[in-house]
Amino acid sequence: MAVAAAGAHATWNLLDDVRQLFEFPFMVNAFRAGTIVAIVAGAIGWFMVLRRQAFAGHTLALVGFPGAAGAVWLGISATWGFFGFCVGAALLIAWLRPERGEGYSEESAGIGVVQAFALASGLLFVSLYRGFLNGINALLFGSFLGITEGQVLVLLVVGVTALAALALVGRPLLFASIDPDVAAARGVRVRALSVLFLVLLGLTVAEVSQITGTLLVFALLVMPPATAQLLSARPAVGMAITVVVGLVVTWVGLAVAYFTPYPIGFFVTTFAFAAYVAAAALRHAGRRRALT
């Protein structure tokens, strides 16, 4: 509604459309925030897919909703709720993670317990909240309206911190992700790296949720790295492809959402899904050519 009131409308003049996108400060902030989020989500998401921790990432995404809803109910910024609950849940999942020798089912059960409690808490906070319900919808499905320079700065600081930590532990984390038993035998602190990565994943989920909403976090956290891993098995190349795909779908999603009344999360998810399908088709075509 705010965009419509400003007279935004798509045309066949690409330069005029781009000018409209950057005409208002809130869209400039949205592109800044989206760029930060896409880069951080690409780097952390690539490791998440490699480590087969998509269920943990999905749970942390859902945890962001009760955190933000609780913060709104208490009258404080939803940003604090996102980061507080996501990081807290990441530490809880790390604590509940089974010891070596126990199966994947035990780990999934512990994560499922956290997810169920988070959803129940979110329902409680929504019931207690008596304000405008559209604010809750924005928490679920995302919104680019109202992103302030202060929020962009917070996202930048958290994002740079997460990427710096990932750069410091990147090599041992890659080793531990591919073969944790051999890594442990070579002296790599696998358990500590797992806890650190879950915390970084929690921070990333909290960032992404503020753009896509908590229900569509996977649009940036899973689809770009999954697309990249279909195209290349090389870590450096795969991570670069992940970041590029994330940036493109975020920028295009923001642009399309600006000219329509629909939430940005839908468009980011749709474009990311299209990229994944295209990569799968290219890989399938390549295999068929190799067999002929």
Side-chain angles (χ1 to χ4, degrees):
M1 293 177 61
V3 175
H9 59 281
T11 68
W12 292 106
N13 187 334
L14 183 59
L15 292 178
D16 183 65
D17 291 342
V18 173
R19 180 193 59 78
Q20 291 185 69
L21 286 175
F22 296 99
E23 187 175 2
F24 300 102
F26 74 87
M27 279 305 297
V28 175
N29 290 332
F31 272 95
R32 289 171 177 170
T35 300
I36 296 168
V37 164
I39 294 173
V40 178
I44 301 297
W46 187 87
F47 274 99
M48 185 194 72
V49 173
L50 179 67
R51 292 172 61 83
R52 297 179 176 87
Q53 289 187 301
F55 186 36
H58 177 64
T59 296
L60 291 175
L62 295 179
V63 166
F65 170 64
V72 172
W73 170 53
L74 294 174
I76 60 178
S77 173
T79 300
W80 294 106
F82 276 124
F83 284 111
F85 266 60
C86 288
V87 173
L91 292 173
L92 181 58
I93 290 173
W95 180 69
L96 292 174
R97 188 173 185 179
E99 298 297 329
R100 296 182 63 184
E102 298 185 20
Y104 177 76
S105 60
E106 286 82 0
E107 180 177 3
S108 297
I111 296 174
V113 168
V114 175
Q115 183 179 122
F117 178 73
L119 289 174
S121 299
L123 179 61
L124 173 64
F125 295 144
V126 170
S127 300
L128 294 173
Y129 181 65
R130 303 299 181 184
F132 187 37
L133 187 58
N134 186 59
I136 300 298
N137 291 335
L139 299 180
L140 289 172
F141 301 106
S143 174
F144 56 84
L145 297 174
I147 297 179
T148 64
E149 292 184 359
Q151 287 176 302
V152 174
L153 180 60
V154 170
L155 293 178
L156 178 62
V157 171
V158 174
V160 170
T161 301
L163 291 178
L166 185 64
L168 289 174
V169 301
R171 290 178 63 86
L173 180 62
L174 179 61
F175 188 13
S177 301
I178 296 174
D179 197 330
D181 293 330
V182 175
R186 296 291 293 272
V188 177
R189 300 179 63 183
V190 176
R191 178 71 177 181
L193 285 173
S194 297
V195 175
L196 175 61
F197 178 74
L198 281 172
V199 172
L200 295 178
L201 182 58
L203 290 173
T204 304
V205 167
E207 283 205 335
V208 178
S209 297
Q210 297 180 59
I211 299 295
T212 65
T214 59
L215 294 184
L216 301 174
V217 167
F218 265 23
L220 288 179
L221 204 58
V222 171
M223 291 184 183
T227 301
Q229 292 190 18
L230 286 175
L231 299 175
S232 176
R234 298 174 60 184
V237 175
M239 188 170 292
I241 294 174
T242 299
V243 172
V244 170
V245 172
L247 286 171
V248 171
V249 300
T250 300
W251 291 341
V252 176
L254 277 168
V256 176
Y258 178 74
F259 293 111
T260 66
Y262 305 111
I264 178 180
F266 166 76
F267 293 111
V268 172
T269 303
T270 300
F271 297 141
F273 177 72
Y276 179 81
V277 172
L282 286 174
R283 184 175 183 178
H284 180 69
R287 286 179 174 177
R288 291 192 62 181
R289 284 196 300 267
L291 294 175
T292 58

